[in-house]
Amino acid sequence: MTSLDDLPLRADLVGRVPYGAPQLDVPVRLNVNENAFPIADVVVDDVVASVRDAIAGVHRYPDREFTELREAFADYLGHGLGAASIWAANGSNEVLQHVLQAFGGPGRTLLSFAPTYSMYPLLAQGVGAAYVAEPRAADFTLDAATVVEAIERHDPDLVFLCAPNNPTGTPLGLDVVEAACAAARGIVLVDEAYAEFAHDRSRTALALLPRFERLVVSRTMSKAFAFAGVRVGYLAADPAVVDALRLVRLPYHLSALTQAAALAALRHAPTMLARVDELREQRDRIVGELAGLGFEPYPSDANFVLFGGVSDPRAAFEALLADGVLVRDVGIPRTLRVTAGTPEETDAFLASVARLAPAARP
Ligand code: PMP
């Protein structure tokens, strides 16, 4: 046995901490923005049948180009996209990693706007790229002037805009994306992991793809499609960007089983999106009820809500956990983040949080 300190680790990784949201076995898990609903039986049956067919052929490597799946994603996204504009990998984390491997790397810089998705700095670090984070406004919104000014100052090779933003839920105007694309010489990636949960689903950066050849829009099946455990993410971009990603992916990175399962689930998109509508209702209910309790929820276009007015987030987290409700302390002072659950899970969260409510205190 040796210890990490004794290993010849890359100098830039020394002292780093891995990604690690707790995975606790409690009744109500609302901490990592999963889809609260298991996938419907009809979808399960179709996925199982497709995986069963695929397993008969696994003595061969899978289609390295996952052509059928790319066609299915293009159809799902619409906006006139074809398979040549689509890329996919094992979760959108891996999609983002491919983008950083191709366009980041040592001596290059990724710019984003904090607080934002905690994996961006880790992914940049992993490829030896620098990460710079400029602050959002106090209410976590982001405007075009802030983004353009930061791009001019840092001259980044990549800009990541999370829309809606994790962990705050904040929507992003398309004018901001347009301004970023006009100002940046490098890649502008809009991370739309939670796009299907938006109040206005038509507001997507996909609409801007024909105008900006360095714009990349990433999505995931982990959230709207309740497929977090399968690991499928994807992106849409100019076909030349997709060619660049082929240079860095491992051969056959998407298994035959993953491709079959994803294709089957995509055939049921309307069923999956009906569930998304129920989660949007719970999200809006959480915002309304938290405000009524005297907390300060931030507007959210995602399947989670960040709320302020929490005098001691650590103590509140523990009190909720004692009631069997797991939420996330994302390190923003006086806030906690909660994922929208099933109606019953949301009831449990709201009942527990009501006991901590500012308005309930003497
Ligand atoms: N982007 C954002 C903003 C996320 O919140 C997440 C997951 N929490 C991801 C990307 C990655 O998700 P996955 O790898 O499951 O697609």
Side-chain angles (χ1 to χ4, degrees):
M1 282 284 281
T2 184
S3 83
L4 188 52
D5 294 340
D6 298 326
L7 293 176
L9 188 65
R10 257 166 53 185
D12 62 321
L13 294 180
V14 172
R16 294 274 159 174
V17 184
Y19 175 90
Q23 291 192 302
L24 302 181
D25 191 12
V26 296
V28 183
R29 281 183 277 171
L30 303 174
N31 70 327
V32 285
N33 304 337
E34 292 153 331
N35 189 312
F37 294 108
I39 56 179
D41 288 347
V42 39
V43 188
V44 172
D45 291 345
D46 208 5
V47 168
V48 169
S50 297
V51 168
R52 197 195 171 299
D53 287 348
I55 202 105
V58 295
H59 58 302
R60 304 286 183 201
Y61 283 113
D63 174 9
R64 200 173 42 221
E65 289 295 322
F66 45 100
T67 311
E68 224 186 314
L69 182 58
R70 282 162 52 219
E71 281 162 1
F73 279 131
D75 285 350
Y76 170 70
L77 291 178
H79 291 272
L81 289 162
S85 296
I86 304 293
W87 186 247
N90 298 284
S92 55
N93 280 327
E94 191 180 64
V95 168
L96 302 182
Q97 186 178 50
H98 285 168
V99 171
L100 279 163
Q101 284 176 319
F103 299 103
R108 295 199 168 196
T109 301
L110 165 64
L111 168 68
S112 197
F113 296 87
T116 191
Y117 182 39
S118 61
M119 278 304 297
Y120 298 159
L122 295 183
L123 288 163
Q125 180 76 32
V127 301
Y131 177 74
V132 265
E134 285 288 323
R136 290 167 171 265
D139 63 358
F140 306 124
T141 55
L142 194 55
D143 62 27
T146 304
V147 171
V148 169
E149 191 279 324
I151 289 172
E152 284 170 354
R153 193 150 37 86
H154 294 289
D155 190 29
D157 300 281
L158 301 114
V159 182
F160 280 10
L161 301 171
C162 194
N165 186 49
N166 184 7
T168 62
T170 321
L172 185 72
L174 288 187
D175 62 309
V176 183
V177 180
E178 276 185 78
C181 290
R185 77 178 155 75
I187 296 288
V188 175
L189 180 140
V190 183
D191 180 347
E192 293 193 350
Y194 301 94
E196 287 93 342
F197 296 94
H199 288 94
D200 175 8
R201 277 186 196 145
S202 68
R203 183 168 65 181
T204 159
L206 294 170
L208 301 175
L209 283 172
R211 286 174 47 206
F212 299 107
E213 60 211 11
R214 292 176 188 181
L215 173 62
V216 177
V217 183
S218 67
R219 296 274 185 113
T220 181
M221 292 188 77
S222 297
K223 314 295 176 177
F225 281 85
F227 240 40
V230 182
R231 312 303 300 129
V232 189
Y234 55 104
L235 62 70
D238 189 280
V241 171
V242 172
D243 282 340
L245 304 179
R246 282 194 182 89
L247 301 173
V248 297
R249 62 100 186 273
L250 296 173
Y252 319 108
H253 68 291
L254 269 188
S255 85
L257 304 187
T258 300
Q259 293 184 40
L263 270 166
L266 278 169
R267 285 196 290 271
H268 295 277
T271 308
M272 308 305 295
L273 292 180
R275 279 302 167 82
V276 166
D277 288 342
E278 291 178 47
L279 291 168
R280 290 154 97 195
E281 280 172 32
Q282 295 307 313
R283 182 259 329 269
D284 290 342
R285 177 180 163 220
I286 291 171
V287 170
E289 296 207 15
L290 282 174
L293 289 168
F295 291 107
E296 294 143 27
Y298 290 88
S300 174
D301 251 357
N303 69 337
F304 56 83
V305 177
L306 181 80
F307 57 101
V310 184
S311 50
D312 183 347
R314 198 66 236 165
F317 173 91
E318 294 296 342
L320 288 162
L321 191 56
D323 286 344
V325 180
L326 180 61
V327 298
R328 188 85 165 262
D329 177 358
V330 294
I332 302 174
R334 296 177 60 81
T335 71
L336 285 175
R337 192 193 68 188
V338 62
T339 308
T342 61
E344 298 73 31
E345 288 171 334
T346 304
D347 289 346
F349 162 71
L350 288 169
S352 180
V353 84
R355 289 192 276 278
L356 310 167
R361 278 196 231 115

